[in-house]
Amino acid sequence: SQTIHQWPATLVQPVGSPLSLECTVEGTSNPNLYWYRQAAGRGLQLLFYSVGIGQISSEVPQNLSASRPQDRQFILSSKKLLLSDSGFYLCAWGDTGSGANVLTFGAGSRLTVL
Amino acid sequence: DAKTTQPPSMDCAEGRAANLPCNHSTISGNEYVYWYRQIHSQGPQYIIHGLKNNETNEMASLIITEDRKSSTLILPHATLRDTAVYYCIVRVAPQGNTPLVFGKGTRLSVIA
């Protein structure tokens, strides 16, 4: 069966520090991968999505970046965090091989920037 | 993708059916209706999707009007664990690379 892992689950970082959130998927190949963010009390905002290794589409210009070094690995990074980067970050994968292309989400990474 | 309109919040008594409406009056012929829900502090969970026929699975039923301009998600016997934000999303055909864009959804509170 397919599983999706995100880590770390929780982190507290000072303003100006770097960030790296990692997401891996098991049990499938060539998935579409997504990063979403949810600020406190707000809706889900699509940040990046990837349809293959090295292919990244950015939905919102900001100080975050994403990379997909391997087929089932998706990384969200920042060189210098801002206070506004605080939020709940969710990775998701979509199975392009099935008819439904349902998105399955990870458990999320909660980031607090101080 | 077509826009959707949902009520911001709803209450439902435990054990009763929860009927969550969604308007998508600008839906086009190749767009599907998807429903997801997000329980507090968790990632969204897929519930059901459909094109024009009514659909049912172990979680819920989806009723789509004949003109496809609106739909209703039905949780037949709501429990306290069904308290969540429910998102109705319209997107082009399931296969492909179109990402899901979430709106504000409906906050369903199931009351004992």
Side-chain angles (χ1 to χ4, degrees), chain A:
Chain A
S1 62
Q2 302 90 355
T3 56
I4 179 168
H5 302 280
Q6 271 189 256
W7 69 92
T10 307
L11 67 164
V12 179
Q13 296 284 103
V15 170
S17 66
L19 171 73
S20 181
L21 301 178
E22 190 159 344
C23 172
T24 59
V25 181
E26 297 177 358
T28 187
S29 59
N30 195 33
N32 289 341
L33 296 172
Y34 307 84
W35 278 111
Y36 288 83
R37 177 174 64 193
Q38 190 168 37
R42 306 288 295 274
L44 285 154
Q45 179 186 34
L46 177 65
L47 301 177
F48 301 95
Y49 68 97
S50 170
V51 300
I53 297 174
Q55 301 177 64
I56 309 293
S57 296
S58 174
E59 291 295 304
V60 182
Q62 54 206 319
N63 69 318
L64 299 173
S65 61
S67 62
R68 183 170 178 174
Q70 300 180 45
D71 181 45
R72 290 168 291 175
Q73 183 184 29
F74 206 22
I75 298 171
L76 183 70
S77 304
S78 174
K79 293 182 179 178
K80 290 186 177 182
L81 284 168
L82 307 173
L83 287 174
S84 58
D85 291 324
S86 292
F88 189 43
Y89 288 81
L90 288 156
C91 179
W93 72 276
D95 183 1
T96 58
S98 73
N101 197 12
V102 167
L103 288 199
T104 301
F105 286 79
S109 298
R110 189 165 301 280
L111 169 66
T112 302
V113 182
L114 301 175

